[in-house]
Each structure stands twice: as structure tokens, then as C-alpha cells.
């Protein structure tokens, strides 16, 4: 579900349940789902490799909602692909095609499909750069893992 700009109500207008559900309930759900995140950054021209950036530890029971990847310099030739691991195992171990990626020539990408959807207090999250492009490698990477 996407955020929808709320209506501007006018005096005397009859408010329907559907309008309130969209303008209040759905927008609050959207914003709440994006209230918490883990962030990894890698400065400079990227090289493929495991365990790049920081080791991050979850707190409490969390559920992953979206993974975003952004670069300042777009990859060329092939997509830039990253992987996020929980305790050394990819969040996309069954369907690696769903890993977050940035198409060649683009500077952002995202995924909301996960094979592993949750983490707890003792889980350690790491980030790998699996592919950087076949011409120009992407550069100045930010990876954001949104969770609730």
C-alpha cells in the first residue's frame, strides 16, 4: 500500500468509512511500517564482496518490510545487486532473484519480497555486495532495511 495525500475536508461534508480508512488507517499503517530501519553505507567505487559495512543487531522481534538500495553513480552493463544476511544466511536464500538491486543506468531499487522475514535480539545482520555492474561499477552505496 502506498501513502495517499489526505483529503482536505470542508465544513458539512459527510465523511465515509472508506475515506477515513484510506486517509487515516492506511496512511498510519504505511508510515508505521517505515518508522524503523537498519542502514549500511559503503563510500566510493564499489567492489563485490561479503560483509561490507557494519554488523547490525536487531532488538526485539522485528519483521522486515522493504529493502532499498541507492547509489550516487549508477552501475552500467549489469545491475548492482546486494544481499542482506541474518546470522550468515541470506534473507533471499530460496529466491536470490529477489535480492535488492539497481538496474544498469539507474540509481535506486527496492524489494518487498523476502524469504526470511523476521529477526530477534540475538540475530546479527550483515550486508554483501554481490554484483557491481559490468561496465562502470556503482559508487557511494546506501542500503536501507525497513522493519516493524
Amino acid at each position: 500500500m502506498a501513502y495517499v495525500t489526505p483529503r482536505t475536508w470542508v465544513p458539512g461534508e459527510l465523511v465515509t468509512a472508506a475515506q477515513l480508512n484510506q486517509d487515516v488507517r492506511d496512511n498510519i499503517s504505511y508510515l508505521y511500517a517505515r518508522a524503523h530501519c537498519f542502514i549500511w553505507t559503503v563510500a566510493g567505487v564499489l567492489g563485490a564482496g561479503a560483509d561490507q559495512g557494519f554488523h547490525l543487531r536487531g532488538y526485539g522481534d522485528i519483521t522486515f518490510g522493504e529493502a532499498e538500495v541507492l547509489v550516487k553513480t549508477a552501475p552500467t552493463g549489469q545491475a548492482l545487486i546486494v544481499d542482506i544476511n541474518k546470522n550468515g544466511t541470506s534473507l533471499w536464500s530460496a529466491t536470490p532473484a529477489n535480492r535488492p538491486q539497481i538496474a544498469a543506468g539507474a540509481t535506486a531499487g527496492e524489494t518487498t519480497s523476502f524469504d526470511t522475514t523476521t529477526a530477534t535480539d540475538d540475530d546479527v545482520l550483515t550486508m554483501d555486495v554481490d554484483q557491481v555492474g559490468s561496465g562502470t561499477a556503482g559508487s557511494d552505496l546506501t542500503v536501507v532495511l525497513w522493519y516493524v
Side-chain angles (χ1 to χ4, degrees):
M1 124 184 42
Y3 182 84
V4 177
T5 302
R7 295 172 53 98
T8 299
W9 304 100
V10 297
E13 183 175 2
L14 180 62
V15 179
T16 68
Q19 291 167 328
L20 284 175
N21 286 340
Q22 176 180 303
D23 289 356
V24 179
R25 181 201 64 201
D26 294 349
N27 281 345
I28 288 172
S29 293
Y30 173 83
L31 293 172
Y32 178 77
R34 299 181 66 88
H36 309 287
C37 65
F38 294 109
I39 300 174
W40 291 267
T41 60
V42 179
V45 176
L46 299 170
D51 199 10
Q52 298 195 27
F54 302 100
H55 285 212
L56 302 171
R57 190 171 289 268
Y59 62 92
D61 294 333
I62 61 175
T63 302
F64 307 125
E66 180 179 4
E68 291 182 282
V69 287
L70 307 125
V71 289
K72 286 185 180 176
T73 301
T76 62
Q78 290 182 313
L80 184 150
I81 302 172
V82 302
D83 198 358
I84 300 170
N85 304 291
K86 180 178 94 171
N87 303 323
T89 301
S90 172
L91 299 183
W92 298 274
S93 58
T95 50
N98 289 337
R99 291 172 296 175
Q101 59 182 285
I102 299 173
T107 57
E110 63 185 33
T111 186
T112 57
S113 298
F114 294 86
D115 296 330
T116 300
T117 59
T118 62
T120 62
D121 282 336
D122 295 328
D123 292 327
V124 175
L125 301 171
T126 58
M127 188 271 300
D128 304 338
V129 177
D130 290 345
Q131 182 173 295
V132 296
S134 59
T136 301
S139 69
D140 299 315
L141 172 69
T142 301
V143 178
V144 182
L145 177 60
W146 295 98
Y147 67 90
V148 292

